[in-house]
């Protein structure tokens, strides 16, 4: 049972435009969500997180939106840059656990 | 600031040989520590986590084991490697306790079992 799903394995976006990466979850106990960026042969880099008490969190070009009723979160990157080309993972956790559940990732390609 | 180290960066081992991967964290105390594996083209699979010295929780019962001999040291081991153990191994840490927070990853070890 995959509790965190990233249904789009890949996404291509033109430089300067908005990139929107999506993530769905099934466990209603999740109350903390994270996004990571990963380059090949490197560890994932933490980008941004959001607690379930919020519906939006912004950090520079990155904004995460959380829709609890739909059990859906998204990462917006504006404007997209070629250096943003990487695999993006969403992850979820909840209070009282030490574990994080990761999605399978979405490969973003930003075209110059 | 906190830093997480993993070594070796790459490793090629024959089937049946032992394994020892080491991870250390600097700049924090009492961290929660994690081992993940990413198989080719797949997501991150949690293998083990530890919330204190000598405490290990296993998520995947395989021929791998983990140990935490010191507060900021986490070791992944195997007595006899299988071909299916090939993958990219990642160590991670976060602040101690049960309140979720950011989790930070090391640079990873690429293991190829031949």
């Amino acid at each position: 049972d995959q509790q965190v799903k990233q249904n789009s394995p890949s996404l291509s976006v033109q430089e300067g435009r908005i990139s929107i990466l999506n993530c769905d979850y099934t466990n209603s106990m999740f109350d903390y969500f994270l996004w990571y960026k990963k380059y090949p042969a490197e560890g994932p880099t933490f980008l941004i997180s959001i607690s379930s008490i919020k519906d939006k969190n912004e950090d520079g070009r990155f904004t995460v939106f959380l829709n609890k009723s739909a059990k859906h979160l998204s990462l917006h990157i504006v404007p997209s840059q070629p250096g943003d080309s990487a695999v993006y993972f969403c992850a979820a956790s909840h209070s009282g656990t030490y574990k994080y559940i990761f999605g399978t990732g979405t490969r973003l390609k930003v075209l110059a | 600031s906190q830093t997480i180290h993993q070594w070796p960066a790459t490793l090629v081992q024959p089937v049946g040989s032992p394994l020892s991967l080491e991870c250390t964290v600097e700049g924090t105390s009492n961290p929660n520590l994690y081992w993940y594996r990413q198989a080719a083209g797949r997501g991150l699979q949690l293998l083990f986590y530890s919330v204190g010295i000598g405490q290990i929780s296993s998520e995947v019962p395989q021929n791998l084991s983990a140990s935490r001999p010191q507060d900021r040291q986490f070791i992944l081991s195997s007595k006899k490697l299988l071909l299916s153990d090939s993958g990219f191994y990642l160590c991670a840490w976060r602040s101690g306790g049960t309140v979720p927070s950011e989790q930070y990853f090391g640079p990873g070890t690429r293991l190829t079992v031949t």
Side-chain angles (χ1 to χ4, degrees), chain B residues 11-109:
Chain B
L11 192 59
V12 180
Q13 292 282 95
V15 168
S17 64
L19 173 73
S20 181
L21 302 180
E22 190 164 341
C23 170
T24 59
V25 181
E26 296 177 355
T28 187
S29 58
N30 303 315
N32 293 343
L33 297 173
Y34 303 80
W35 279 113
Y36 290 86
R37 178 172 60 204
Q38 183 183 22
R42 306 284 293 275
L44 300 176
Q45 180 187 34
L46 178 62
L47 301 175
F48 302 94
Y49 65 93
S50 171
V51 301
I53 296 173
Q55 189 281 332
I56 305 295
S57 294
S58 174
E59 291 295 300
V60 183
Q62 296 180 340
N63 66 317
L64 298 172
S65 62
S67 62
R68 184 172 177 174
Q70 300 181 44
D71 181 46
R72 290 169 290 176
Q73 184 185 29
F74 206 21
I75 297 172
L76 182 70
S77 303
S78 174
K79 292 182 179 178
K80 289 185 178 182
L81 284 168
L82 306 173
L83 285 174
S84 58
D85 292 323
S86 293
F88 193 55
Y89 288 81
L90 291 154
C91 182
W93 76 274
R94 78 161 207 207
S95 298
T98 59
V99 176
S101 61
E102 295 86 23
Q103 186 182 58
Y104 298 96
F105 286 83
T109 295

Side-chain angles (χ1 to χ4, degrees), chain A residues 32 36 38 46 98-100, chain B residues 34 38 94 101-103:
Chain A
Y32 190 75
Y36 288 86
K38 187 181 181 303
F46 169 76
Y98 303 104
K99 301 191 291 187
Y100 297 75
Chain B
Y34 303 80
Q38 183 183 22
R94 78 161 207 207
S101 61
E102 295 86 23
Q103 186 182 58

